[in-house]
Amino acid sequence: MARLGLERNVVDTQVLDRTIARLGQAGVLLPTLAQLADPTTIPDVVRKRLASVDPDVADPLNLFRVHWFNDAARNGLTDIPDYVELPSELTGVKARIVLALGNRFPMIRAHKVLAAYGCLVPRLVTGQFDPGHHKAVWPSTGNYCRGGVAISRILGCHGVAVLPENMSRERFDWLDKWVVDSSDVIKTPGSESNVKEIYDECARLDSDADNIIFNQFCEFGNYLVHRTCTGAALETIYEAITGDRPGSKLAAFVSASGSSGTLAAGDHLKERHGTKIIVAEATECPTLLENGFGEHNIQGIGDKHVPYIHNVMNTDMVAGVSDSDTDRLIVLFNTEVGRNYLIERRGVDPKLVADLGNLGLSSLCNMLAAIKAAKYYDMGPDDVIVTLATDGAAMYGSEIDKVVKRDFGNRFDTVAAGETWGRSLAAASTSDLLEMTHVDRKRVFNLGYFTWVEQQGVSIEEFKVRAKQSYWDDLLDLVPAWDEMIADVNAKSGIAKKLGL
């Protein structure tokens, strides 16, 4: 499988010329990564036009909403990305646990649309993807392929979603409405952990030169857009909530492994604040913890492999979380009985309880990993852990119904709510945690050999060089190079001039 996304020069001028013409015809102005990192730099004329654009339609201007600073209505900007801070009454720890809300993103209500744009735009501006000719193939366990399909619609090209057949019904319902043809949704065997089957399908599709695979697991645009944009957004939240508490420390950043793009935000935070990087994974599939395997239902976090863009040697801890806990907690947080229990029996503020609907399954995984890490490191009230609510519970209504039927005899009552609180939240322990030594990091790093060198054809030299932090830091030079090329494309397409820029 080809890995692209490191080019800083035009690869095919003819493809680029056709792409520029198409962008001009479609009225597409491309945002720079700098603008997505700091939306206040988006031109006023664009921001004014955005005010009348529905955030859930395939309008080209919605590309300028692919950032963390959208308000709750997703039609305005906030100075600080929307977040939820979980109180000790809920978490049982003194540390401040803060989740940035991914359901503020446009079109898919999940932050993976940022990853999709980060993977696509380098290909567009270097002449590697022709939206008038190529199909864009988006391998995913759910949200990334939705983001890719949404952006494909904006470009007027075919977007093909490849995802496991057992993902939530809501994902497929959304895809059915957005793809050009029903055949553009390809269901692979298995569920969340079956990434290898996704790769196999992409290898088949890759045999057709008209298909371009945007493999988020090895696209460095995914890494760079999160290090640049998500890292800056989380830092903004931290600085805002600690301005009156000078003794605060940005102690840890938590993210599930997934494609490892989001983990790049940890590299930014560690460089700036010395923040620990904690990777969450399902205990049912303990790939990083034990070189293990299995199946799980924490939708959106992958597993059974080490992504190529995971900067393993900069990782401080692996935290295992059970899908039995995330399954039960999404019921507790999103049913009337469960919410009443939290308010009346646990004293949790009703406003905070209402905000828990912003947390989907992988968000709950991040929350539990943060709680476990806070207990392990004996963190106090001046320690801040930042993480992400990658999507909201709205994407899992069918999963909630399944869990209620399977685990609670089709009846979730106050007793079940209390049992869920005690078992899945209050009992969160320091088990299934690995504070990584240098040897541990090398073990996990070496595990990636079997996927990327043996299966995907990466050279051993390319594989090994990623063990150096300087390799990842040097990648940052690509961002201003890409932004300069984006500006050039916008100028040549004529859209910048048409908007008066």
Side-chain angles (χ1 to χ4, degrees), residues 372-395:
K372 290 162 71 81
K375 290 182 177 181
Y376 179 87
Y377 287 113
D378 297 318
M379 291 182 183
D382 289 329
D383 292 309
V384 179
I385 303 177
V386 292
T387 184
L388 308 106
T390 52
D391 59 15
M395 194 53 57

Side-chain angles (χ1 to χ4, degrees), residues 230-452:
T230 302
L234 294 173
E235 187 175 28
T236 299
I237 295 173
Y238 168 73
E239 291 173 347
I241 68 173
T242 58
D244 59 349
R245 297 175 65 166
S248 297
K249 178 183 179 183
L250 185 43
F253 164 72
V254 176
S255 178
S257 176
S259 68
S260 293
T262 308
L263 280 170
D267 284 4
H268 174 84
L269 299 175
K270 176 175 278 193
E271 179 184 30
R272 302 264 297 177
H273 299 275
T275 306
K276 293 183 183 297
I277 299 173
I278 297 169
V279 182
E281 71 172 359
T283 54
E284 288 78 12
C285 186
T287 305
L288 308 183
L289 282 169
E290 302 175 3
N291 290 13
F293 52 89
E295 301 293 329
H296 69 87
N297 191 47
I298 308 178
Q299 297 188 24
I301 72 169
D303 280 346
K304 272 200 279 195
H305 79 305
V306 181
Y308 194 75
I309 61 169
H310 183 180
N311 183 8
V312 173
M313 301 305 289
N314 209 28
T315 300
D316 298 289
M317 173 179 278
V318 180
V321 173
S322 174
D323 69 355
S324 64
D325 293 323
T326 53
D327 278 354
R328 288 174 168 81
L329 286 175
I330 204 167
V331 175
L332 179 68
F333 288 177
N334 293 281
T335 57
E336 183 178 358
V337 170
R339 291 183 171 188
N340 287 340
Y341 174 86
L342 294 173
I343 295 167
E344 296 169 6
R345 298 295 297 272
R346 293 299 164 186
V348 182
D349 182 88
K351 184 179 183 306
L352 185 280
V353 171
D355 282 340
L356 295 177
N358 292 301
L359 312 186
L361 288 173
S362 60
S363 312
L364 296 173
C365 173
N366 288 341
M367 177 194 77
L368 289 172
I371 292 171
K372 290 162 71 81
K375 290 182 177 181
Y376 179 87
Y377 287 113
D378 297 318
M379 291 182 183
D382 289 329
D383 292 309
V384 179
I385 303 177
V386 292
T387 184
L388 308 106
T390 52
D391 59 15
M395 194 53 57
Y396 303 99
S398 60
E399 296 299 309
I400 292 172
D401 293 340
K402 288 179 185 177
V403 175
V404 170
K405 182 177 181 180
R406 183 193 69 202
D407 295 348
F408 301 105
N410 218 24
R411 182 188 176 202
F412 189 77
D413 55 19
T414 302
V415 172
E419 290 174 345
T420 298
W421 168 276
R423 171 180 172 175
S424 297
L425 198 55
S429 69
T430 56
S431 63
D432 300 310
L433 295 182
L434 175 64
E435 189 172 21
M436 297 182 78
T437 65
H438 183 66
V439 172
D440 292 321
R441 292 185 179 104
K442 288 202 298 182
R443 172 186 62 81
V444 175
F445 182 90
N446 292 341
L447 185 61
Y449 167 89
F450 301 98
T451 296
W452 299 108

Side-chain angles (χ1 to χ4, degrees), residues 72-303:
R74 298 178 302 140
N75 58 14
L77 286 180
T78 59
D79 294 330
I80 305 162
D82 268 4
Y83 67 91
V84 171
E85 180 172 349
L86 303 179
S88 296
E89 292 85 357
L90 185 72
T91 65
V93 298
K94 296 178 181 178
R96 303 176 70 183
I97 297 176
V98 179
L99 296 96
L101 300 182
N103 62 2
R104 288 352 187 205
F105 278 83
M107 297 178 287
I108 71 168
R109 292 183 178 270
H111 85 300
K112 281 289 192 174
V113 69
L114 177 63
Y117 184 76
C119 293
L120 173 70
V121 75
R123 304 282 195 91
L124 282 176
V125 300
T126 55
Q128 297 176 76
F129 178 73
D130 183 344
H133 176 71
H134 293 128
K135 285 187 177 182
V137 179
W138 305 94
S140 170
T141 54
N143 286 331
Y144 172 76
C145 68
R146 293 198 301 125
V149 165
I151 292 176
S152 298
R153 278 283 297 274
I154 287 174
L155 296 177
C157 69
H158 257 75
V160 178
V162 181
L163 72 166
E165 61 187 348
N166 292 327
M167 303 306 291
S168 71
R169 185 190 68 216
E170 289 78 5
R171 281 173 165 80
F172 290 107
D173 290 344
W174 185 95
L175 286 167
D176 287 342
K177 296 174 183 177
W178 277 75
V179 293
V180 175
D181 186 274
S182 60
S183 64
D184 292 333
V185 179
I186 299 176
K187 301 177 182 180
T188 55
S191 56
E192 184 61 35
S193 294
N194 296 93
V195 176
K196 173 61 164 56
E197 288 77 3
I198 297 173
Y199 286 164
D200 290 344
E201 177 60 23
C202 285
R204 184 187 70 81
L205 293 170
D206 202 28
S207 63
D208 184 341
D210 290 343
N211 294 327
I212 303 296
I213 315 297
F214 291 92
N215 186 357
Q216 60 173 327
F217 301 95
C218 59
E219 288 280 342
F220 286 97
N222 186 7
Y223 172 88
L224 286 169
V225 78
H226 282 300
R227 184 163 176 177
T228 302
C229 300
T230 302
L234 294 173
E235 187 175 28
T236 299
I237 295 173
Y238 168 73
E239 291 173 347
I241 68 173
T242 58
D244 59 349
R245 297 175 65 166
S248 297
K249 178 183 179 183
L250 185 43
F253 164 72
V254 176
S255 178
S257 176
S259 68
S260 293
T262 308
L263 280 170
D267 284 4
H268 174 84
L269 299 175
K270 176 175 278 193
E271 179 184 30
R272 302 264 297 177
H273 299 275
T275 306
K276 293 183 183 297
I277 299 173
I278 297 169
V279 182
E281 71 172 359
T283 54
E284 288 78 12
C285 186
T287 305
L288 308 183
L289 282 169
E290 302 175 3
N291 290 13
F293 52 89
E295 301 293 329
H296 69 87
N297 191 47
I298 308 178
Q299 297 188 24
I301 72 169
D303 280 346

